[in-house]
């Protein structure tokens, strides 16, 4: 057995059992996500042309392209070149395992495509384990062509789960503010994690910022200047009904929803100073959590719904603090550097990601820190002005937006700092939240 891991003190370890002998040994190859080690080696996969693809070559290529993009962008997989494939598939259920083993791939994604003139498409997938010579997983989807990418993302998630034992990050969406049609306006949009399938949620010609979607996907909290002042609103996306939570000239921004969707953490300027509040959607009441001379902003719930991280300059510079829903005395979490802001709590509960500024060269970067204050680490080094960050629902990847040369680009990054530039698809936007797809 050979063990390859991401980094010292890291969190992903790649177990590869006798790669030269995988076919004869018939050993299940898996990515074991745990804390240990150094180095990385990508698992080789094959995604051959689907059966029926010749009837709609463009559609088939698009679907295979989504699968390839999804799997390779994680840094855990590589897809072998089509020209090296030993056979053209004759069946989804049966492949020549010996021939594929000679190519030294550990998995083959076999597929069948059927399409009709009325824009309907049927997709059948099967993931073959070459070493064990059996099908690990499969699914069949029927629906409209416009949802083809969603169906491919869903199977990518299945492949990821089979090789890691954890949910994949692909059939997900991001919520963000994007430049509107009129000058200085911003719309609220939702789109697939890779920028496709963008759909506008709020577009009224106003400056709209900081969208946060409730866990069930029904309520959208956001800040709008439509009244002339930056007030906080909550819209029911099913009915269109909207409630304004704040009024007046003070800035109010949503931070995050509690896991049960009852509470909205927010910051609001009162008497010229920003404080942290909780809004109870049942009682329609505000609960004040902080009362300090410093500026308190960016509250975010922990996955347990009891703890809250926020940013405060009460110590002289913006730092991350922890408190709870009862408003107990905040505990300072970050001490390195003089600028640490925009915390995002991992769904795995053990770490926060945030934007920090290095003292040595004054550059901004994406950092992580454990909730006990240990392992303060910078993850990216490419410069620019990174903003965000937002965790994938599975807690294994971070997405952030980086501004370089006047353009916004989105990156997906593992916790070891390996980051991958997402395709320049969809509208430009500042990522506010990365969520599981709530509508099918």
């Amino acid at each position: 057995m050979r063990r390859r891991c991401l980094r010292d003190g890291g969190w992903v370890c790649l177990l590869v059992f006798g790669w030269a002998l995988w076919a004869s040994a018939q050993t299940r190859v898996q990515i074991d996500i745990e804390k240990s080690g150094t180095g990385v080696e990508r698992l080789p996969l094959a995604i051959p042309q689907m059966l029926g693809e010749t009837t709609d070559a463009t559609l088939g290529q698009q679907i295979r392209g989504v699968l390839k993009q999804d799997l390779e962008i994680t840094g855990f997989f590589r897809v072998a070149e089509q020209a090296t494939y030993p056979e053209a598939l004759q069946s989804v259920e049966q492949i020549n395992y010996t021939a594929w083993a000679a190519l030294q791939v550990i998995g083959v994604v076999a597929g069948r495509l059927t399409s009709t003139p009325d824009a309907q498409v049927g997709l059948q997938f099967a993931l073959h384990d070459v070493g064990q010579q059996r099908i690990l997983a499969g699914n069949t989807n029927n629906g409209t062509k416009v949802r083809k990418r969603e169906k491919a993302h869903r199977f990518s998630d299945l492949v990821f789960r089979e090789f890691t034992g954890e949910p994949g990050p692909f059939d997900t969406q991001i919520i963000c503010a994007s430049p509107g049609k009129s000058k200085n306006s911003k719309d609220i949009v939702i789109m697939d994690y890779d920028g496709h399938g963008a759909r506008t949620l709020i577009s009224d010609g106003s400056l709209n910022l900081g969208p946060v979607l409730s866990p069930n996907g029904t309520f959208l909290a956001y800040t709008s200047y439509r009244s002339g002042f930056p007030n906080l609103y909550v819209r029911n996306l099913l009915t269109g009904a909207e409630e304004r939570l704040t009024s007046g000239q003070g800035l109010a921004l949503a931070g995050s929803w509690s896991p049960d969707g009852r509470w909205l953490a927010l910051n609001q300027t009162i008497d010229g100073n920003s404080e942290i509040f909780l809004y109870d959607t049942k009682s329609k009441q505000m609960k004040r959590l902080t009362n300090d001379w410093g500026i308190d902003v960016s509250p975010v719930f922990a996955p347990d719904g009891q703890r809250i991280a926020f940013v405060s300059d009460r110590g002289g510079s913006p730092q991350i603090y922890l408190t709870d829903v009862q408003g107990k005395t905040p505990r300072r979490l970050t001490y390195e550097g003089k600028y640490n802001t925009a915390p995002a709590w991992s769904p795995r509960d053990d770490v926060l990601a945030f934007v920090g500024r290095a003292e040595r060269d004054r550059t901004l970067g994406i950092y992580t820190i454990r909730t006990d204050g240990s392992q303060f680490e910078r993850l990216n080094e490419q410069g620019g002005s990174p903003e965000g960050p937002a965790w994938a629902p599975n807690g294994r990847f971070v997405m952030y937006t980086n501004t370089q040369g006047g353009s916004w680009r989105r990156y997906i990054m593992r916790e070891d700092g390996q980051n991958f530039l997402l395709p320049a698809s969809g509208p430009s936007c500042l990522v506010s939240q990365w969520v599981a797809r709530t509508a099918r």
Side-chain angles (χ1 to χ4, degrees):
M1 184 190 333
R2 179 174 59 178
R3 182 179 291 261
R4 299 254 179 173
C5 302
L6 285 183
R7 62 179 173 84
D8 289 332
W11 53 272
V12 177
C13 184
L14 189 62
L15 296 175
V16 182
F17 298 88
W19 275 38
L21 302 174
W22 55 48
S24 60
Q26 296 190 358
T27 302
R28 176 78 179 272
V29 180
Q30 278 202 298
I31 300 169
D32 182 17
I33 300 181
E34 61 181 36
K35 297 178 182 179
S36 178
T38 59
V40 68
E41 190 165 350
R42 296 185 180 217
L43 297 185
L45 303 175
I47 308 177
Q49 188 178 61
M50 293 184 289
L51 298 171
E53 187 173 326
T54 54
T55 63
D56 196 333
T58 300
L59 179 60
Q61 290 171 2
Q62 289 175 342
I63 292 169
R64 287 189 288 112
V66 173
L67 294 169
K68 183 177 187 292
Q69 168 200 276
D70 286 348
L71 296 169
E72 289 192 333
I73 208 166
T74 66
F76 296 145
F77 306 95
R78 65 174 177 84
V79 176
E81 294 295 330
Q82 293 274 333
T84 64
Y85 291 177
E87 66 170 339
L89 297 186
Q90 304 300 313
S91 167
V92 173
E93 295 81 8
Q94 296 180 341
I95 66 172
N96 187 333
Y97 289 110
T98 302
W100 288 103
L103 185 60
Q104 296 191 339
V105 295
I106 55 94
V108 176
V109 175
R112 183 190 306 275
L113 168 66
T114 59
S115 59
T116 63
D118 61 350
Q120 295 294 304
V121 61
L123 288 173
Q124 178 188 2
F125 290 114
L127 172 62
H128 292 262
D129 186 309
V130 175
Q132 293 191 321
Q133 300 190 6
R134 67 183 183 92
I135 294 177
L136 292 178
N139 70 8
T140 300
N141 283 292
N142 298 298
T144 61
K145 288 184 180 180
V146 296
R147 302 187 72 174
K148 60 184 180 295
R149 297 185 66 88
E150 178 184 333
K151 299 176 191 299
H153 288 317
R154 205 174 304 168
F155 193 74
S156 295
D157 279 341
L158 196 154
V159 174
F160 188 91
R161 181 186 288 275
E162 286 298 321
F163 285 114
T164 67
E166 297 194 5
F170 311 116
D171 190 23
T172 56
Q173 296 174 300
I174 57 174
I175 314 235
C176 55
S178 177
K181 294 180 180 179
S182 59
K183 185 179 180 181
N184 297 326
S185 71
K186 279 189 171 58
D187 298 338
I188 306 301
V189 300
I190 186 170
M191 54 189 170
D192 291 353
Y193 91 95
D194 59 3
H196 288 268
R199 179 166 57 92
T200 301
L201 300 178
I202 306 291
S203 179
D204 57 8
S206 301
L207 179 59
N208 301 298
L209 303 167
V212 183
L213 190 66
S214 65
N216 65 2
T218 299
F219 297 99
L220 179 72
Y222 67 101
T223 296
S224 178
Y225 281 77
R226 69 169 64 107
S227 68
F229 303 115
N231 293 148
L232 187 60
Y233 297 80
V234 172
R235 177 173 294 191
N236 185 320
L237 296 178
L238 298 181
T239 67
E242 191 165 79
E243 178 183 10
R244 189 169 75 174
L245 304 189
T246 65
S247 60
Q249 300 182 22
L251 174 65
L253 290 168
S256 76
W257 292 90
S258 62
D260 63 3
R262 176 175 175 175
W263 300 89
L264 176 66
L266 60 106
N267 60 264
Q268 181 182 8
T269 299
I270 300 292
D271 298 326
N273 194 51
S274 182
E275 303 289 355
I276 305 299
F277 292 81
L278 292 181
Y279 176 72
D280 185 349
T281 59
K282 287 189 176 182
S283 68
K284 308 296 183 182
Q285 298 296 313
M286 287 282 190
K287 176 181 178 180
R288 185 168 180 169
L289 289 189
T290 64
N291 189 359
D292 190 86
W293 69 268
I295 297 174
D296 300 333
V297 295
S298 305
V300 57
F301 271 99
D304 63 12
Q306 298 301 308
R307 295 166 294 160
I308 292 175
F310 67 97
V311 175
S312 178
D313 68 351
R314 64 185 62 195
S317 64
Q319 301 293 338
I320 298 172
Y321 290 76
L322 300 182
T323 185
D324 65 11
V325 294
Q326 303 304 321
K328 78 173 184 179
T329 302
R331 172 174 65 89
R332 182 170 169 176
L333 183 66
T334 55
Y335 284 89
E336 294 188 46
K338 296 181 180 179
Y339 182 85
N340 296 301
T341 189
W345 210 310
S346 168
R348 297 177 62 81
D349 197 24
D350 56 346
V351 67
L352 285 92
F354 58 95
V355 174
R357 186 171 61 206
E359 289 302 297
R360 68 180 186 277
D361 57 10
R362 310 289 290 174
T363 59
L364 293 173
I366 302 297
Y367 290 75
T368 57
I369 189 171
R370 297 187 67 82
T371 54
D372 62 2
S374 64
Q375 297 184 31
F376 180 97
E377 299 180 70
R378 180 169 179 163
L379 300 187
N380 73 320
E381 296 289 347
Q382 79 263 37
S385 299
E387 299 190 42
W391 288 96
N394 70 355
R396 293 300 188 184
F397 301 89
V398 171
M399 186 182 297
Y400 65 97
T401 305
N402 200 7
T403 306
Q404 288 183 304
S407 62
W408 294 347
R409 301 302 303 271
R410 290 187 297 276
Y411 292 80
I412 183 174
M413 179 167 54
R414 297 201 312 242
E415 199 182 11
D416 70 322
Q418 292 195 52
N419 65 78
F420 308 91
L421 177 65
L422 283 164
S425 303
S428 297
C429 71
L430 293 175
V431 176
S432 183
Q433 196 179 17
W434 193 353
V435 298
R437 190 185 303 274
T438 55
R440 294 295 180 189

